Amino acid sequence: MSGTRRTPIARSREPPVTETAVKIFVHMQRCRGERWWDLHDHLRRELRAKLWEWPCIEDPREGNPHPPGTYNHEHWEPDLKAQERWKALERGAREMRRRERAARRATKAVSESEREPEPAA
């Protein structure tokens, strides 16, 4: 009997992104310095990234952070997994904003329809 009886498992290549992770990511985009790293720690736990996957997200638009001419600059490689997490979080943030706008529009439409019609003169 040739071949295998193993059934392939459909695994998602996209990192798991929760609503909490997206909210942390949005807050991270608004702050700098020590607060950013505090939020990064919370985000790392929420994304279940390993301790050695540091930083757990990397902006794909950013280039090499090291000064030109240095050893680190010449040997730097982007962290593709961290960049994928960043992209997934950006997609989640866009989706969250879209849902919030739709909810505001629905609330506005309901409040306008509940108004009593003004009497005609």
Side-chain angles (χ1 to χ4, degrees):
M1 182 180 201
S2 64
T4 180
R5 291 179 169 230
R6 295 183 182 176
T7 305
I9 300 172
R11 297 178 195 249
S12 173
R13 299 224 183 260
E14 196 163 310
V17 175
T18 63
E19 188 172 343
T20 304
V22 171
K23 288 178 182 179
I24 294 169
F25 178 72
V26 169
H27 288 299
M28 286 176 74
Q29 291 180 320
R30 295 181 185 147
C31 57
R32 298 277 178 248
E34 198 63 35
R35 179 70 180 140
W36 193 94
W37 289 108
D38 290 341
L39 290 170
H40 175 272
D41 192 39
H42 292 292
L43 181 65
R44 183 193 59 76
R45 284 192 210 111
E46 184 66 28
L47 294 174
R48 294 184 179 97
K50 307 289 189 255
L51 280 174
W52 54 87
E53 295 175 327
W54 186 90
C56 72
I57 58 172
E58 182 178 298
D59 189 349
R61 298 169 297 201
E62 301 265 329
N64 190 332
H66 304 287
T70 62
Y71 177 85
N72 286 345
H73 183 80
E74 293 173 13
H75 294 88
W76 178 81
E77 292 181 16
D79 184 350
L80 300 178
K81 196 171 181 180
Q83 289 183 357
E84 282 303 313
R85 284 189 199 107
W86 181 284
K87 291 175 187 176
L89 288 165
E90 277 187 331
R91 285 191 297 272
R94 275 194 305 272
E95 178 63 25
M96 189 173 75
R97 285 190 299 268
R98 188 189 65 73
R99 280 189 272 131
E100 287 172 354
R101 282 193 304 270
R104 280 194 303 268
R105 282 189 212 117
T107 303
K108 184 178 177 183
V110 167
S111 66
E112 288 177 358
S113 67
E114 289 178 350
R115 290 184 193 164
E116 291 187 32
E118 296 181 18

